[in-house]
Amino acid sequence: MRIYNTMSREKEELESMHPGQVRIYVCGPTVYNFIHVGNARPLCVFDTMRRYLTYTGMDVLFVSNVTDIDDKLINKAKDQGVSVQEVARTFEKEYLRDADGLNVLRPTVMPRATEHIDEIIALIRDIVDKGFGYQSENGDVYFRAKKFPEYGKLSHLVLEELENNRELSAGLDGGLKEDAADFAVWKAAKPDEPAWDSPWGKGRPGWHIECSAMAKKHLGATFDIHAGGQDLIFPHHENEIAQSECANGQTFARYWMHNGFLNIDDRKMSKSLGNFFTVRQIAEEMGYEPIRYFMLSAHYRSPLNFTMDILKQCQASLERLYTCRENLDFALENAGETGNSDLLTKAEEHEARFREKMDDDLNTADALAAVFDLVRDINTLAAETDRQALQKTAEIFDALCEVLGLLYNRKSEEIPVEITELAQQRTKARQEKNWALADELRDQLDNQGYVVEDTPAGPKISKK
Ligand code: AMP
Ligand code: ZN
């Protein structure tokens, strides 16, 4: 598989460090509120990456954290008169409810920052011991960005540009920092805020150091893929690299993947701009699955514009997938040993194209097109296909949907045995041209809430 590496700005062949296993770290949410539709993009995209790697036979170690301490959480807790932990645990649950709804697999490990304070302190200690960190008068500990010669290598910004960067306009933090590019790894305790003991006094970790420490603990000092939204490239990921590579003396992540923005009226959907819909709001109206479909309908690095109309189109496309799956079930129930296997040949071609597209930097948009080509062929050829070929085609269809994480709301519309028996008696009556009995059996089925339809492939029973 080739993936676009933000570091090299090129598509590169993905070669994992450990044979047969890929290790991925995806920056998770700060759990102070419901997630919005923009936040659902990295969730769905990198879950699909994980599913695809699994489908190709790789074992995936997937770590995605939860930031459960920071200014936003502290402010929310103050506003609501509850503890920071209470806010964090409440919204962590809501986040997981949405992630489950979107059919995002739970991470192999979901570390919480507040449960890794020892690892964070150990990393800061290494940074300070090696001369990359210093404590300011107020007790904060900062990272000396300019001391790391490669600072800026991910965002491709040079330090002079960085100094003019909006993100750094906070300047010298009232004289606490030696240089505007420096950033906090440890923040001295303020009254009424959660704080932990450390060699630098009571305080709490900075945001960037959390990910450096948790990735190291769960994936090792060097691992395969680090991912997140494009807005994390600078400063978050740049700072993670500086901290980790200076402390550990080795490459941090080998591949960097970033999803493009989900926009609304051509502007990034964000909490701060106020132009957002929560995933929950949309799911209550349309269900979760169209949101997931929508995220996969474009290439993950392209901008994606959100409207309710597009979401409705996604819902309609999903309906086509569900209908096709029902058609497959029905054809399977009625398939015989005779028939041809043209459909299977086509299905294998579509699967090969699906893989080719996914191998090309996770092109889910074109992979979906391959699935719809398969849908078209199933709908036209299923009735003339033999049972074995149909069975294999169904397996291919299900496997591709599983990779995309779609079609997870299939109703298990089990037809009770007595209903199937009634329908079979009716078919027999019809074959014997006993129309009166056939009609009576149809009425019986009708009274029990089932309709039977005579199709070229045989009788089709469904609930009214
Ligand atoms: P945050 O809670 O803001 O740190 O965001 C959690 C994840 O969602 C990060 O990977 C962000 O990059 C990503 N994200 C936030 N807003 C958007 C957006 N509008 N489009 C795509 N990704 C986003
Ligand atoms: Zn992170």
Side-chain angles (χ1 to χ4, degrees), residues 6 27-28 36 38-39 41-42 46 72 154-155 165-167 207-208 227-240 257-263 268-272 300:
T6 310
C27 293
H36 62 63
N39 303 136
R41 191 167 190 195
F46 299 116
K72 293 187 278 264
L154 180 71
S155 47
N165 194 290
R166 195 167 42 85
E167 305 278 350
W207 173 36
H208 318 302
Q230 189 184 301
D231 51 339
L232 299 187
I233 297 175
F234 185 85
H236 185 52
H237 288 162
E238 197 71 73
N239 291 353
E240 281 188 41
M257 291 177 80
H258 293 99
N259 65 268
F261 290 142
L262 180 115
N263 295 328
K268 180 194 170 197
M269 182 181 285
S270 77
K271 290 258 161 68
S272 52
Y300 74 94

Side-chain angles (χ1 to χ4, degrees), residues 146-406:
K146 282 188 183 160
K147 198 170 158 69
F148 178 47
E150 295 172 40
Y151 193 73
K153 67 178 172 179
L154 180 71
S155 47
H156 306 280
L157 294 171
V158 289
L159 276 170
E160 295 81 71
E161 285 176 48
L162 284 175
E163 273 161 19
N164 296 326
N165 194 290
R166 195 167 42 85
E167 305 278 350
L168 297 177
S169 59
L172 299 176
D173 271 3
L176 297 173
K177 295 201 265 184
E178 292 174 359
D179 189 280
D182 297 352
F183 55 89
V185 289
W186 187 258
K187 297 182 176 183
K190 294 199 187 111
D192 302 329
E193 285 186 7
W196 289 264
D197 286 322
S198 83
W200 313 279
K202 274 192 172 300
R204 61 184 169 94
W207 173 36
H208 318 302
I209 198 79
E210 293 171 9
C211 287
S212 283
M214 292 189 282
K216 182 178 181 182
K217 162 128 192 224
H218 299 287
L219 297 173
T222 305
F223 57 94
D224 299 310
I225 303 174
H226 197 314
Q230 189 184 301
D231 51 339
L232 299 187
I233 297 175
F234 185 85
H236 185 52
H237 288 162
E238 197 71 73
N239 291 353
E240 281 188 41
I241 293 170
Q243 297 162 155
S244 295
E245 299 197 350
C246 292
N248 305 328
Q250 59 193 81
T251 302
F252 182 44
R254 301 165 62 242
Y255 303 88
W256 290 86
M257 291 177 80
H258 293 99
N259 65 268
F261 290 142
L262 180 115
N263 295 328
I264 194 155
D265 297 329
D266 295 321
R267 289 172 76 189
K268 180 194 170 197
M269 182 181 285
S270 77
K271 290 258 161 68
S272 52
L273 288 174
N275 60 348
F276 66 90
F277 292 101
T278 65
V279 168
R280 193 66 56 84
Q281 259 176 304
I282 304 293
E284 275 165 8
E285 200 173 319
M286 321 231 351
Y288 283 100
E289 203 174 5
I291 306 176
R292 183 171 181 119
Y293 184 99
F294 172 57
M295 298 303 172
L296 303 181
S297 66
H299 189 272
Y300 74 94
R301 286 191 286 120
S302 314
L304 183 56
N305 212 44
F306 176 82
T307 67
M308 288 306 272
D309 276 350
I310 296 178
L311 218 53
K312 287 195 184 112
Q313 287 168 27
C314 291
Q315 204 168 32
S317 302
L318 271 170
E319 282 303 321
R320 280 179 61 208
L321 291 182
Y322 277 101
T323 306
C324 172
R325 192 60 187 78
E326 277 169 25
N327 293 345
L328 258 178
D329 268 343
F330 173 66
L332 269 167
E333 277 161 30
N334 296 285
E337 300 315 319
T338 55
N340 65 59
S341 60
D342 295 356
L343 176 59
L344 180 58
T345 310
K346 291 198 182 251
E348 283 165 348
E349 282 166 18
H350 297 314
E351 184 180 28
R353 199 158 59 86
F354 176 94
R355 287 184 74 134
E356 193 188 300
K357 296 301 177 184
M358 293 293 271
D359 280 342
D360 183 12
D361 195 27
L362 202 74
N363 190 340
T364 54
D366 286 358
L368 259 176
V371 172
F372 276 99
D373 287 344
L374 175 58
V375 166
R376 186 200 57 219
D377 288 338
I378 289 172
N379 291 344
T380 49
L381 299 174
E384 62 184 63
T385 306
D386 68 68
R387 183 191 307 279
Q388 212 194 3
L390 261 181
Q391 190 60 49
K392 287 196 175 144
T393 303
E395 281 164 20
I396 291 174
F397 181 81
D398 289 345
L400 303 191
C401 290
E402 176 74 27
V403 168
L404 300 172
L406 297 175

Side-chain angles (χ1 to χ4, degrees), residues 113-132:
T114 58
E115 291 170 0
H116 291 75
I117 301 294
D118 289 347
E119 289 81 0
I120 291 169
I121 289 174
L123 199 64
I124 300 176
R125 201 196 293 267
D126 283 346
I127 288 170
V128 172
D129 286 352
K130 291 184 178 176
F132 287 101

Side-chain angles (χ1 to χ4, degrees), residues 22-39:
V22 182
R23 300 188 176 189
I24 306 181
Y25 187 94
V26 182
C27 293
T30 304
V31 282
Y32 73 106
N33 215 330
F34 288 93
I35 61 164
H36 62 63
V37 179
N39 303 136

